[in-house]
Amino acid sequence: MDVEKTVKKMTLEEKAKAVEGNLVWFTQAYPELGIPEIQVSDGPHGLRKMYGEGKTITSVCFPAASASACSFDTELLEEIGHTLGKECQAENVGVILGPAVNIKRSPLCGRNFEYISEDPYVAGKLSAALIRGVQAENVGTSIKHFAANNQEFERMYGSSEVDERTLREIYFPAFEIAVKESQPWTVMCSYNRINGTYSSENPWLLTDVLRKEWGFEGLVMSDWGAVSDRIAGIAAGLDLDMPGSGGVNNASIVKAVQEGTLSEEALDAAVANILRMVDRFVSGRKEETFDPEADHAKAVDAAKECIVLLKNEEKVLPLAKEEKVALIGGFAESPRYQGGGSSHINSFRVVSALSVAERYGAFTYNRGFSPEKDETDEELQKEALAAAAEADKIVVFAGLPDVFESEAYDREHMQLPACQNRLITQLTTLGKPVIVVLHNGSPVEMPWADDVAGIVEAYLGGEGIGEAVMDVLYGHVNPSGKLAESFPRKLSDNPSYLNFPGTGHKVNYAEGVFVGYRYYDTKQMDVRFPFGYGLSYTDFRYANLRVSRDSFTASEGVTVSVDVTNTGDRAGKEIVQLYVADRTGSAVRPVHELKGFCKLSLEPGETKTATFKLDSRAFAWYDTESGDWYAANGSYTIEVGRSSRQIEYTAEVHIIGSREKPPVITPDVQLGELLQSPYTREYTMERMKKYMDRFRSNANETEEMVEAVVRFMPLRSLRSFLQITNEEIDSIVTDLKEHVEKQLQK
C-alpha cells in the first residue's frame, strides 16, 4: 500500500472515521481503497483473542510479568515473544496489547501482577526483549500504559502529580529503552492525567518526548475509553481512539478541520500511522499453526526459570523422593497462576502441583483452606494438622485469592488471608520443617517467615506452574529466579504509603525518585527480602572484578567484568547485578541504582565472566534546569553483587571532562554558590571582595558564623546588610550573566 497516496484519496469523513476503532477490537476497513481491517488482542502473557459475545479463544497462559521478570533473562522473554507472535499469526491477530511496564510504586496496585518491576532499567530491558520476539514474527506490540499509571483507584480520571526529574528517571525509562532498542509498533497511552493533563491529549508526552526525543516511529493508541477530548488528542499525537466512539466523534473531527481548530495535516498524520501499521501486518502475513501442546511445554519451562527460592534453612530443600510429604492448602489443587481483568487467559491446560505429585514421591494432601476466599474451616484445618503431624516435611501452598488483586481496583493491605496465616502458624508448632509456596501477584507480609524452614515464591507462573513448582521442590530444577521487586516487612514501610492512592482526584508522588530499593537501601531500612534476592541449590563465588579504565569521560563510558564460579555440586544459574553509586554530591540521589544484569548458566566447577558496558546514562541524573541528563565530574562506585543488599565487589571510578553546571544568576543566587562554581569563582572573588570584607568587619560574631552566613547569603541580602542599592545588585547580576555566557562559549 502506498500510504501517502491512499491518504490523499480519502475524504475528510473517511479520515475522521479511520482514526477510531471498529467493533471494539478492530481497525476500520475501506475495501474500495484497499484498506483491510486488522484485529488487536489483549495480552501480554497470553493471547486473549475475543470472538462472538464476550468469548475468548483457548490459548496458552505464560507466566505473568511479576513472575517472568524474576528470570532476569532477556533470552527467555524474547523466546516467549516469538511464541506469542506465532500464535498471533496463526489467529490473524495484528497487534498484541503488551507488555505492561508501569513501575511498581506501591505493593497495593491491583495490576502489579502484569507489571515487570519497581526498577525502570529491568522493566525496559525485559520489555524490549519481549517486543523483539513478538515483532520478529511480524506482529505488533503495544507497550503500555504511557505514563505514570501506577494504581487502579481513579485511573480513568485521577492526576498523577509528578515532577519532571522523577518522570524521567523512574516512570519514563522503561518506555524509552523499549522504544530505542525495539521500536514497538504501537504505544498505548494511559487513562490518567499527568500534572492535570490527560495522557491522551498531552503533546509534551506523545510528541515532544515520545517522537521527537526518543524517535518513536509507530502508532499511538488510547487505552480502551481513555479519550477525553478527541480533537485535542489528535493535535497532541494520539492516532487511534480505541475502542472508538461508534461514530460520535467523527462529526466533531470533520467540523474541527473545517473550522480550522484542527489541522488536516495532524489528522492525515494520524491516519497515515494507522495505515502503515495495517499494511505492515497484512504485507507480512505468515502461515502459522497454533500448537497448544508445544506452547504449553514452553510455558512450563518458562515458569521454571522464574521461581524464586527465598528461604532454605538447613537445606530443607530439595525434597527427597523417599520423604513423606504433607501437601496442604487449596492452591496445591487449584493454583492461582494468572491475574484478573483484561489479561485473563482462557487457558489450554492448567497443571496443579497435586495433579503431578505422584511422579515425585510419597505424599498426602489436605485442602486446609480455600484458595478462593478468606474463610476458616475448622474441620479442614484440623484434618490438615493431623496429616502434617505424620509427615516428615510439610509444604503449604498459599497465596492471594483472585478477588484480592485484579485490574480495576487496588489491594487494601499486604496480608494473606487470615485463615492461611493461622494455619501456617499452627503448622510451625508441630516440630516439622514447614515450606511455604506462594501464589501471588505482588508482595505479601509474612508474619510466620522466621518460623518456617523454606519459602518458595512462585508468583503467578502461568498454566504450567504446578509442574514447575514440583520440579523445584524436588530438585529436578535448580531455582534461579531473583526478586524484581522488594518485599517490605509491612505496608507502612513503603515510600508511597502516605500518598497512595491520593485524595481530591490527585495522587502526589512525593517520594520522588526514591521508589522500591532506591528508598529502602538509601534509608538502610530492614526489609523482608531485598530487590534482586534469590537462593540456589548450589553456590557461586565472585572474583576478579575489573574495570576497563579508572577515569573516563561520560561519553566514553567504561566496561566492567567479573568472574563467577559455580563452587557447588550441581548445575545452576546466577543473576549477576551491577549497581552504580554517585559519590559526587551533585544531586540528592539513591544510594545506588541498578545499571546492568547478566544471567550465567554454570556447570559445577565452571567459571564464566559477566561483562557490562556502561554508557553515560548509567551515571547520570536528569537535570531539569538544563533539560538534559547530567553526569557530574567526580567519583562513582561500581558495585557488583547478588542483590541490592549483597554486594560482593566494588571499584571506584572517576568521570572527567563533564560540563560544570553554572549557577542560575539572579538576585537570589547564594554567594557560596558563586564562590564554588568555576564559572563565577574568580569574578565573584574580585568583584565581591570589598562587600564581603565590609560585611565581616560589621559583624560582631565568630569567624565561623560569619563564613557560614556569607556562604548561604543571597546577593539581594547585601541590600539590607550593607545598604547596597538595587542598581548595584542589578549591575552585579548583569555582569555575572555576561561573564558566564562568555565562558560557556569558549
Side-chain angles (χ1 to χ4, degrees), residues 230-231 247-257 261-262:
R230 186 65 182 113
I231 309 305
V248 172
N249 282 331
N250 297 3
S252 298
I253 295 171
V254 170
K255 182 180 179 182
V257 172
T261 55
L262 174 67

Side-chain angles (χ1 to χ4, degrees), residues 65-66 69 72 100-105 112 114-124 126 150 170 483-486 515 517 531 594:
S66 59
F72 282 82
V101 301
N102 295 111
I103 296 300
K104 299 182 180 185
R105 175 178 178 248
N112 274 355
E114 66 173 292
Y115 296 154
I116 294 175
S117 179
E118 68 186 31
D119 181 81
Y121 181 83
V122 174
L126 294 183
N150 309 102
I170 302 298
L483 294 178
E485 60 185 326
S486 307
V515 175
Y517 73 88
F531 175 87
L594 184 77

Side-chain angles (χ1 to χ4, degrees), residues 119-121 125 165 168-169 173 176-177 180-181 517-518 552-560 578-584 586 589-597 612-622 629-632 634-639 653 655 658:
D119 181 81
Y121 181 83
K125 288 295 184 178
R165 181 185 166 196
R168 297 280 190 170
E169 293 188 23
E176 180 183 3
I177 292 169
K180 290 181 176 179
E181 294 188 2
Y517 73 88
R518 286 168 165 79
F552 49 89
T553 64
S555 59
E556 290 174 330
V558 64
T559 299
V560 180
L578 184 148
Y579 299 82
V580 173
D582 184 350
R583 309 300 186 194
T584 68
S586 60
R589 301 186 67 179
V591 66
H592 59 189
E593 297 175 287
L594 184 77
K595 298 299 178 182
F597 59 87
F612 308 91
K613 294 184 178 180
L614 304 180
D615 59 15
S616 59
R617 280 287 291 273
F619 301 92
W621 55 279
Y622 192 80
W629 292 90
Y630 178 63
S635 175
Y636 297 79
T637 301
I638 305 294
E639 303 175 345
V653 297
I655 288 182
S658 291

Side-chain angles (χ1 to χ4, degrees), residues 595-611:
K595 298 299 178 182
F597 59 87
C598 177
K599 192 168 189 176
L600 301 177
S601 180
L602 297 163
E603 295 296 321
E606 184 179 14
T607 299
K608 288 184 180 178
T609 300
T611 301

Side-chain angles (χ1 to χ4, degrees), residues 64-67 70 104 106-107 109-116 336-339 398-401 404-406 411 416 438-444 457-461 485 487:
S66 59
C70 295
K104 299 182 180 185
S106 167
C109 176
R111 214 165 174 179
N112 274 355
F113 62 84
E114 66 173 292
Y115 296 154
I116 294 175
R336 180 154 177 264
Y337 63 95
Q338 66 171 327
L400 296 176
F404 272 51
E405 53 181 351
S406 172
R411 295 162 67 194
L416 288 173
L438 290 169
H439 297 273
N440 49 301
S442 47
V444 294
E457 177 57 82
Y459 274 107
L460 307 184
E485 60 185 326
F487 273 50

Side-chain angles (χ1 to χ4, degrees), residues 1-7 9-10 14 18 27-38 271 274-283:
M1 181 194 306
D2 188 322
V3 170
E4 282 69 28
K5 287 184 178 180
T6 302
V7 173
K9 292 178 182 178
M10 298 175 74
E14 287 173 332
T27 60
Q28 300 286 349
Y30 293 94
E32 66 279 8
L33 293 171
I35 303 172
E37 68 179 15
I38 67 168
V271 174
I274 295 168
L275 296 188
R276 289 190 192 97
M277 180 189 72
V278 171
D279 184 60
R280 189 172 184 178
F281 175 66
V282 172
S283 63

Side-chain angles (χ1 to χ4, degrees), residues 254-437:
V254 170
K255 182 180 179 182
V257 172
Q258 291 174 339
E259 294 181 350
T261 55
L262 174 67
S263 73
E264 191 162 2
E265 290 76 14
L267 179 60
D268 287 350
V271 174
N273 285 333
I274 295 168
L275 296 188
R276 289 190 192 97
M277 180 189 72
V278 171
D279 184 60
R280 189 172 184 178
F281 175 66
V282 172
S283 63
R285 284 288 282 121
K286 297 180 179 181
E287 289 296 326
E288 292 286 354
T289 300
F290 184 2
D291 185 346
E293 288 286 354
D295 291 355
H296 172 81
K298 292 178 182 178
V300 174
D301 289 340
K304 295 173 184 177
E305 296 293 321
C306 306
I307 293 171
V308 187
L309 179 60
L310 294 176
K311 187 174 184 181
N312 195 19
E313 196 172 79
E314 297 183 0
K315 297 186 177 180
V316 67
L317 294 173
L319 302 173
K321 186 174 184 178
E322 61 274 11
E323 290 176 322
K324 184 178 179 181
V325 178
L327 306 182
I328 293 172
F331 288 98
E333 184 178 2
S334 303
R336 180 154 177 264
Y337 63 95
Q338 66 171 327
S342 60
S343 66
H344 191 87
I345 305 301
N346 181 14
S347 301
F348 167 65
R349 180 190 298 128
V350 181
V351 180
S352 69
L354 184 61
S355 69
V356 296
E358 62 183 16
R359 303 180 195 169
Y360 297 88
F363 73 94
T364 59
Y365 168 67
N366 289 86
R367 186 175 175 86
F369 50 78
S370 168
E372 299 172 354
K373 53 190 174 182
D374 185 2
E375 184 176 277
T376 299
D377 186 315
E378 296 291 350
E379 188 61 30
L380 286 180
Q381 295 208 356
K382 183 178 178 181
E383 292 172 358
L385 288 166
E390 300 299 319
D392 297 319
K393 293 179 180 177
I394 305 162
V395 180
V396 185
F397 289 80
L400 296 176
D402 276 323
V403 297
F404 272 51
E405 53 181 351
S406 172
E407 181 179 356
Y409 56 86
D410 297 315
R411 295 162 67 194
E412 297 180 357
H413 53 74
M414 265 181 60
Q415 300 161 18
L416 288 173
C419 65
Q420 296 184 29
N421 283 331
R422 178 187 177 191
L423 181 55
I424 294 171
T425 300
Q426 289 176 329
L427 289 168
T428 62
T429 66
L430 298 178
K432 306 292 181 72
V434 177
I435 299 107
V436 178
V437 178

Side-chain angles (χ1 to χ4, degrees), residues 36-181:
E37 68 179 15
I38 67 168
Q39 184 172 3
V40 303
S41 171
D42 270 327
H45 54 267
L47 184 58
R48 189 174 180 261
K49 178 182 176 181
M50 303 291 295
Y51 72 96
E53 282 292 323
K55 299 178 181 179
T56 60
I57 65 168
T58 299
S59 187
V60 171
C61 181
F62 286 86
S66 59
S68 61
C70 295
S71 73
F72 282 82
D73 191 334
T74 55
E75 292 182 5
L76 174 66
L77 270 293
E78 190 163 344
E79 181 57 34
I80 292 174
H82 278 288
T83 303
L84 293 175
K86 290 177 180 178
E87 290 182 4
C88 287
Q89 284 285 1
E91 292 291 335
N92 197 27
V93 170
V95 176
I96 188 168
L97 304 178
V101 301
N102 295 111
I103 296 300
K104 299 182 180 185
R105 175 178 178 248
S106 167
L108 298 184
C109 176
R111 214 165 174 179
N112 274 355
F113 62 84
E114 66 173 292
Y115 296 154
I116 294 175
S117 179
E118 68 186 31
D119 181 81
Y121 181 83
V122 174
K125 288 295 184 178
L126 294 183
S127 64
L130 183 73
I131 291 166
R132 282 195 300 273
V134 173
Q135 296 187 172
E137 304 303 329
N138 201 59
V139 171
T141 57
S142 188
I143 191 169
K144 60 187 184 182
H145 311 84
F146 191 51
N149 178 184
N150 309 102
Q151 62 190 57
E152 295 300 281
F153 177 76
E154 291 193 337
R155 64 172 174 163
M156 293 186 176
Y157 178 75
S159 180
S160 299
E161 302 293 303
V162 201
D163 66 88
E164 186 179 2
R165 181 185 166 196
T166 298
L167 285 170
R168 297 280 190 170
E169 293 188 23
I170 302 298
Y171 299 101
F172 280 4
F175 295 96
E176 180 183 3
I177 292 169
V179 165
K180 290 181 176 179
E181 294 188 2

